[in-house]
Amino acid sequence: MHYSGVVYRPPYEANSLLLEVTHGCSHNKCTFCSMYPDVQFAVCPFEQIKDDINEASVYYPNVTRVFLEHGDAFVLSAERLLKIADLIHHKLPEVKTIAMYASIQNIKSKTDDELKRLADAGIGGLDIGVESGLDEALAYMNKGHTATEAREQLLRLRKAGMDYSFNAILGCAGSDLWKENADATAELINAVQPHLLFIGTLHAEQGCRLYEDMKNGTFKECTIGQLLDEQERLLSKLELKDTIYFGSHPSNIAPMQALLPKHKEEMIRYVKDIRNDLKAHLDEYPLRGSEGTILNR
Ligand code: SF4
């Protein structure tokens, strides 16, 4: 298999076959991102993809899920994705889902008919960094979409029958706007009713603009208390019908996995309990290790 550079995948893709179809990210401008600092975005040659699928058919013939690499593989044209899906189903007949990272702009560039054809070809489980429902936060994070665009495009995906993970970042509007961020993000999540909600907490590693902005004070990070308050406020405002909450990312102060609405009250209680345990540290900032791991929980 061909893999270039660091290979990223969502935690729930641990058992998926990782298949490289692009290098880097076509956007590569999010303020908080240091995933592909020196990688020039490129589309992998079809022959390489074909060779990798042939190799996988020998070593992993029973694989049921494939994750297309890298940062926003859904940027590929519908025709190319359909060609890749065709090859995968031909050589790996047990595959049910072909997942990948996607952006709101990637969805926007496809017609309704293309989205439907992609869904029919088993493409789904898109991992989408929506991050926030607050336009101020989205603009600072340089996501390339507004909350209204996110809402429209996610509803188009739903209509096409494609499922996805809605990724949101606690603390991404900073310490002055944490309440507004919780409210606007909950409103957007409620409007689109994602099947999977992936929650992380803002952190920055050297090599991105956010890291510099945090250091020089241009961006005011949330304290531990504000992050917990934002999480509690977000949870209390969520009105979901059937959503998996995946919040066990190490960057979270109150990590948890649960179902909504079933566990909503328990989840809120859990955040309150952690707040209580940390009451001597609420005005401090999270101490972080690699990948944003919280060290002073
Ligand atoms: S879209 Fe994803 S990979 Fe690309 S710059 Fe933004 S966070 Fe990074």
Side-chain angles (χ1 to χ4, degrees), residues 25 27-30 32-33 35-36 71-72 103 131 143:
C25 162
H27 179 60
N28 212 17
K29 287 196 284 242
C30 295
F32 58 88
C33 180
M35 286 163 82
Y36 306 103
D72 64 340
S103 72
E131 326 302 14
K143 284 304 300 179

Side-chain angles (χ1 to χ4, degrees), residues 28-220:
N28 212 17
K29 287 196 284 242
C30 295
T31 308
F32 58 88
C33 180
S34 45
M35 286 163 82
Y36 306 103
D38 305 316
V39 184
Q40 177 70 43
F41 175 77
V43 175
C44 295
F46 198 70
E47 281 311 306
Q48 174 193 310
I49 298 169
K50 210 167 155 182
D51 284 353
D52 282 352
I53 294 172
N54 282 338
E55 190 180 329
S57 71
V58 175
Y59 292 103
Y60 315 104
N62 301 320
V63 72
T64 57
R65 190 170 169 110
V66 176
F67 187 79
L68 303 184
E69 297 287 348
H70 276 106
D72 64 340
F74 202 59
V75 73
L76 293 178
S77 69
E79 288 319 312
R80 192 168 182 89
L81 285 168
L82 288 168
K83 212 167 142 190
I84 294 169
D86 237 24
L87 210 53
I88 290 173
H89 291 308
H90 181 61
K91 289 285 177 180
L92 297 162
E94 302 294 317
V95 169
K96 302 277 180 294
T97 307
I98 301 167
M100 69 202 86
Y101 290 121
S103 72
I104 297 298
Q105 293 301 334
N106 299 162
I107 306 166
K108 200 174 174 180
S109 69
K110 294 176 175 62
T111 66
D112 288 346
D113 179 58
E114 286 173 337
L115 291 177
K116 176 83 178 58
R117 282 163 60 214
L118 290 165
D120 290 347
I123 289 177
L126 300 184
D127 193 275
I128 306 174
V130 186
E131 326 302 14
S132 170
L134 187 69
D135 281 338
E136 290 94 319
L138 291 170
Y140 171 70
M141 294 295 158
N142 211 7
K143 284 304 300 179
H145 65 253
T146 63
T148 306
E149 283 173 319
R151 181 189 165 124
E152 284 168 8
Q153 299 310 321
L154 294 174
L155 290 174
R156 287 183 63 229
L157 266 195
R158 163 64 57 92
K159 199 167 149 216
M162 208 180 285
D163 70 349
Y164 63 89
S165 161
F166 183 122
N167 301 352
I169 303 181
L170 295 170
C172 78
S175 71
D176 291 336
L177 292 173
W178 66 265
K179 280 187 198 138
E180 289 80 355
N181 194 45
D183 294 356
T185 305
E187 192 183 327
L188 177 58
I189 294 168
N190 290 341
V192 298
Q193 296 283 320
H195 171 62
L196 180 61
L197 180 57
F198 182 105
I199 299 286
T201 302
L202 189 71
H203 57 93
E205 309 212 347
Q206 208 158 1
C208 68
R209 186 182 137 201
L210 179 64
Y211 182 86
E212 299 306 322
D213 285 357
M214 277 182 173
K215 235 172 47 177
N216 64 32
T218 316
F219 182 88
K220 285 200 273 170

